[in-house]
Amino acid sequence: MSLEDILAIDACPVDEEILCDISDAVASHFSHYSCYGLSREKWVRFLLFYRYIEKFILAMEIPVSLPVINYCLSKKEGSVSIEKYVEGGQSGDFARGIFTQVMTECGWQYRIVEYNGQSWVRTAETGICKSAEWKSVVKLARKMKKIIKPGRSDTKYHIFWNYQLAWYLQFRQRNPRKVELVFLEGDKKIMELLDQIGSPMNIRFEENLCMLDADKYLLGVMEGYFNGHKVNFWTVKYLFLLRIVVLDKLLKYAGKLFEKEEKS
């Protein structure tokens, strides 16, 4: 894929306010405060954008297995209970599965950690990582705990990291003129996307849950309670996944463009 083709990818095909409204509605529906179904309008919007994600992933040739949702709205049904049609709804498993698949296929590794009151521990859901990786994971998890100030002990911290993104950010810092001459538009797009993905969830914290640490760029997502509300992957920003895919395409292009020259 050429740079022009990558830059032509629309990472914001739908107005962000509409998508935030969908995300808020679905997240509220699955919170412990909600006992009602989504309106048909919001359910249809959710389905339409999910279909868009399916087609987008296919077109971008990302080998992700998305769950199938089949549903026909009846004229009589004024609201829809998503639990009937989305497996793993309340736990966030449905959305988490999509999120983690896209991230790992786009070059991100991750671990899930918890704080047991005395130390940081890896959950059984993810494997052991290298010592340097674990130190970075804990560093971001501590930062997240300080920012979020969770009121419960069952908070999970999903820490993702990307070596290619860290490499590019360090390369552009060392070689600003070289990047400007041959990759100016691609660099602008990467920095724009970096700013947009800094907060994956549709929730406002004091600061973005991300950091550059040595040779890794880290990004965090939490599951638990924030300000009395349940937070899980249903609160993710829907455009986040599209932006991660475009970022991955740009990083791979930049890698081919600069890595050989960097090693020589």
Side-chain angles (χ1 to χ4, degrees):
M1 185 176 279
S2 70
L3 179 58
E4 290 73 18
D5 290 338
I6 299 172
L7 293 174
I9 298 171
D10 188 357
C12 189
V14 181
D15 186 277
E16 193 144 17
E17 288 188 9
I18 292 176
L19 293 177
C20 283
D21 184 53
I22 297 173
S23 180
D24 285 342
V26 175
S28 175
H29 178 74
F30 284 127
S31 76
H32 61 285
Y33 295 105
S34 176
C35 57
Y36 302 105
L38 291 185
S39 69
R40 287 202 299 170
E41 179 186 0
K42 289 183 178 179
W43 173 241
V44 169
R45 286 180 173 181
F46 169 77
L47 280 177
L48 286 175
F49 194 70
Y50 183 70
R51 298 296 184 227
Y52 182 88
I53 291 176
E54 286 181 318
K55 292 183 178 296
F56 181 86
I57 293 298
L58 184 64
M60 294 296 105
E61 299 180 341
I62 307 295
V64 170
S65 176
L66 297 177
V68 176
I69 303 176
N70 292 314
Y71 180 67
C72 180
L73 290 169
S74 69
K75 292 182 180 179
K76 295 180 180 179
E77 197 160 13
S79 64
V80 181
S81 178
I82 289 184
E83 292 99 319
K84 288 191 260 179
Y85 311 103
V86 179
E87 187 177 351
Q90 293 211 5
S91 65
D93 288 347
F94 174 90
R96 185 193 302 113
I98 298 171
F99 187 101
T100 53
Q101 280 190 83
V102 171
M103 290 292 278
T104 52
E105 289 297 336
C106 289
W108 296 79
Q109 299 179 52
Y110 78 102
R111 295 295 182 272
I112 306 173
V113 297
E114 298 173 317
Y115 186 69
N116 64 11
Q118 295 181 325
S119 61
W120 291 93
V121 295
R122 173 184 56 84
T123 70
E125 299 168 64
T126 51
I128 298 171
C129 55
K130 299 174 184 176
S131 176
E133 291 172 334
W134 177 250
K135 288 179 181 177
S136 295
V137 165
V138 171
K139 190 181 292 186
L140 179 56
R142 283 176 178 152
K143 176 183 176 182
M144 291 173 66
K145 186 173 184 296
K146 185 176 180 180
I147 293 170
I148 297 168
K149 301 179 180 67
R152 295 167 56 123
S153 60
D154 58 353
T155 302
K156 291 184 178 180
Y157 301 84
H158 298 248
I159 311 296
F160 295 80
W161 67 91
N162 189 305
Y163 286 103
Q164 185 72 11
L165 178 53
W167 173 85
Y168 178 76
L169 293 175
Q170 291 165 345
F171 176 84
R172 75 186 293 274
Q173 188 173 20
R174 294 192 303 269
N175 305 276
R177 181 60 177 163
K178 191 177 293 184
V179 170
E180 183 180 356
L181 285 173
V182 299
F183 194 57
L184 179 60
E185 294 306 315
D187 179 71
K188 286 181 180 178
K189 189 64 178 179
I190 287 176
M191 300 314 292
E192 175 190 321
L193 291 168
L194 195 61
D195 182 59
Q196 293 171 340
I197 68 168
S199 179
M201 301 300 221
N202 197 33
I203 299 172
R204 291 185 180 180
F205 297 113
E206 292 179 14
E207 57 183 289
N208 288 343
L209 309 178
C210 55
M211 60 185 284
L212 178 63
D213 187 49
D215 58 348
K216 297 173 288 299
Y217 188 89
L218 297 107
L219 182 70
V221 180
M222 66 86 74
E223 284 189 292
Y225 285 84
F226 177 70
N227 287 343
H229 294 271
K230 187 175 182 179
V231 178
N232 62 30
F233 279 82
W234 275 115
T235 60
V236 70
K237 293 179 180 177
Y238 287 93
L239 293 177
F240 176 86
L241 299 177
L242 278 61
R243 289 164 175 164
I244 284 292
V245 172
V246 176
L247 177 62
D248 180 57
K249 299 285 185 186
L250 287 167
L251 290 174
K252 286 176 178 174
Y253 186 93
K256 292 178 182 178
L257 193 63
F258 296 123
E259 278 184 342
K260 189 181 292 185
E261 187 175 346
E262 178 82 341
K263 291 174 183 176
S264 60

